Amino acid sequence: MALIVHKYGGTSMGSTERIRNVAKRVAKWVRAGHRLVVVPSAMSGETNRLLALAKEVSPEKATPETMRELDMIAATGEQVSVGLLALALQAEGVPAVSYTGWQVPVKTDSAYTKARIESIDDARVRADLAAGKVVIITGFQGIDDDGHITTLGRGGSDTSAVAVAAAMKAAECLIYTDVDGVYTTDPRVVPEARRLHAVSFEEMLEMASLGSKVLQIRSVEFAGKYRVPMRVLSSFTPWDIPIDEEARSGTLITFEEDENMEQAVVSGIAFNRDEAKVTIMRVPDRPGIAYQILGAVAEANIDVDVIVQNVSHDGKTDFSFTVHRNDYARTIDLLKSKVGPAVGAGEVTGDARICKVSIVGIGMKSHVGIAAKMFRTLADEGINIQMITTSEIKTSVVIDEKYMELAVRALHKAFDLEQPQPA
Ligand code: ASP
Ligand code: MG
C-alpha cells in the first residue's frame, strides 16, 4: 500500500467518456489498496481556446497587468477537469474531493504565465487521504504571496504532479499521456524508433531540453532535485489491465544507473527546429568582447544556446551563436543597430533555417569516439556541420534544417537504436 500520484494529460481528459475511463483506472488503484492523489490537465484544446478568447479581447502586447488576467483565465481549464473527475470517481463509488491550486495551497512566485512552485502545504491533502478519499488537484496553477492566481507555463501540469509527489514523498509519480513512453527518437521521423524501458534522469533532462516534448522540462528538474521516481505511460491501455502490468509499463525515469538501465552508449536522438543562427563578423579579438556582445543580448532578455568563436586572423574573429527562432529578428536588429557599431564589428549575418540534432547517452561518459562516429555518419550523408557543442552526456550539431530528418534517421541507425532491446 503506497501513496501514488497520477497525472493525466489533456488528451486523456479529452471527453467525459475519457474522464470516466480515468476514474475507472484510478478506482482500480484504490481498490488495490493504494492512496491516490491525481493531478489532471485541462481537457485537450481547452487552454488554447481560453487563451484565444483572451487574445480576441486584448490583442495588444503583454504587460504585467494583462498577464495576470491571462493566468486568471487559463487556470479555469484545470478547475473544470478536477471537478468532473471528482464527480466521475464518486459515481464509481470512490470518495473523492477536488481542489484548485489556491485551495491546497500550491505557492508560487509571481511570474505570471511561467511561475515557479515554491512550496506546497500538504496538510489538507493528507487529512483527506487519511479519511479515505482520492484527492484531485488542478495541474498548471498556483497562487502567489499576494493571493494572485498564477500558471506554470504550457505543459505545466507535469511539474505540478511531480511537485505534489515530492511534497508528499509519494512512492511514484505516474504520468499518463497519449504516448506509451519515451522513445529513442520521435517515431514520426523514424518509424523504427523504440520505447525505452528505463532512462536516467540526466538523459531525460537532456532529451527534454533538446526537443523531446514528452515532459515539461521543469518537471524533470523537479524530479531530479527531489528524487521523485517517475514513469511515463499510456492512458489508452484498457483501464482494467492488471495493475502489476500497468505499473511496469511505459518508461521509468530512474536515478540509479543500475541493472534496469540498458547498456547502450547512446540512448536517444533529440532534435529541434526552434533555433536560428546569427554571426557577427570581424569583431576585435580582445578581452571583454564576448561579454559586450552576449551581455547586450542577455539584457534584451534573449536566451542564447550554442556559441562558437573562431580563431582570429589579424586580431579579428567571427562570433556565432544561436537563439530561439522567435527572437531571431530582434537579435539581428540589436547586433546591427547597437552591438556591431559599439564593438567595431564587420557584417552581421544570420540563418533561421537551421536545426540542432543531438545524441544523448550516459554511456558517453565512459566511451571515447562517440562524437567522431556521429561526425562520420553525417559526413557519409554529405551533411555539413555548422556548429558543435558537447557535454558529458550529449553531443549536438547545428545543421541545415532541410537535412534534419536525414540526419536523425542516419544517426538512429548508426547507433543501433532500432534493434530490439535485450530482454
Ligand atoms: N493545460 C495546460 C496546457 O495546455 C497545462 C498542461 O496541460 O500541462 O499547457
Ligand atoms: Mg501536457
Side-chain angles (χ1 to χ4, degrees), residues 7-11 41 154-158 175-178 213-216:
K7 184 263 171 178
Y8 290 92
T11 326
S41 292
R154 299 310 303 269
S157 299
D158 292 340
I175 309 273
Y176 288 87
T177 178
D178 51 359
K213 302 246 154 50
V214 187
L215 292 170
Q216 196 198 37

Side-chain angles (χ1 to χ4, degrees), residues 215-295:
L215 292 170
Q216 196 198 37
I217 182 159
R218 271 195 202 162
S219 71
V220 186
E221 288 166 1
F222 231 101
K225 190 159 167 203
Y226 297 99
R227 298 185 79 80
V228 180
M230 211 174 163
R231 184 180 290 276
V232 175
L233 67 174
S234 170
S235 66
F236 292 121
T237 55
W239 67 266
D240 56 353
I241 62 168
I243 205 161
D244 295 350
E245 196 181 307
E246 188 169 311
R248 277 184 279 108
S249 68
T251 301
L252 176 71
I253 296 159
T254 163
F255 298 94
E256 287 118 57
E257 297 171 19
D258 60 10
E259 49 324 325
N260 278 329
M261 293 300 303
E262 296 167 39
Q263 294 311 305
V265 178
V266 170
S267 301
I269 314 289
F271 55 85
N272 87 58
R273 305 173 227 245
D274 298 339
E275 291 181 28
K277 182 177 83 167
V278 295
T279 301
I280 175 162
M281 294 204 281
R282 298 191 55 74
V283 296
D285 189 15
R286 58 173 154 76
I289 287 291
Y291 170 65
Q292 263 183 284
I293 299 172
L294 296 177

Side-chain angles (χ1 to χ4, degrees), residues 134-150:
V134 172
V135 182
I136 307 165
I137 304 174
T138 49
F140 184 49
Q141 54 169 270
I143 188 157
D144 76 1
D145 275 344
D146 299 320
H148 302 294
I149 290 175
T150 55

